[in-house]
Amino acid sequence: SLSRKEVTAIFDDIVAFADIGDFIEQPVKTYSSGMLMRLAFSVQTAVNPDILIVDEALAVGDAQFVAKCINRI
């Protein structure tokens, strides 16, 4: 798990990559499946994991975001 300091250090990168605009301030329960996927992928890749398993998560994203994700991987 990450400390508050670690989360604060990567928060801006997470928000920028997820690109969900002002919805970042809304409760997650109001997010669409695509918005949830964007945020989840952004969080998981912001911590530079040694292993990243991506199943069908990118299927709900638009083509531009999918390309952005593939580039990040």
Side-chain angles (χ1 to χ4, degrees), residues 47-72:
V47 297
N48 297 315
D50 292 331
I51 297 173
L52 178 65
I53 298 173
V54 180
D55 189 9
E56 296 179 23
L58 298 180
V60 297
D62 58 83
Q64 183 179 0
F65 188 75
V66 170
K68 187 171 147 177
C69 292
I70 291 170
N71 188 47
R72 191 167 207 181

Side-chain angles (χ1 to χ4, degrees), residues 6-65:
E6 291 170 316
V7 171
T8 300
I10 61 174
F11 183 78
D12 290 340
D13 180 53
I14 291 169
V15 172
F17 192 86
D19 194 26
I20 58 174
D22 292 335
F23 281 97
I24 197 68
E25 300 295 332
Q26 301 301 316
V28 175
K29 66 182 179 181
T30 65
Y31 289 10
S32 67
S33 61
M35 291 164 68
L36 282 170
M37 187 280 307
R38 284 173 170 257
L39 184 58
F41 186 89
S42 184
V43 169
Q44 294 303 316
T45 57
V47 297
N48 297 315
D50 292 331
I51 297 173
L52 178 65
I53 298 173
V54 180
D55 189 9
E56 296 179 23
L58 298 180
V60 297
D62 58 83
Q64 183 179 0
F65 188 75

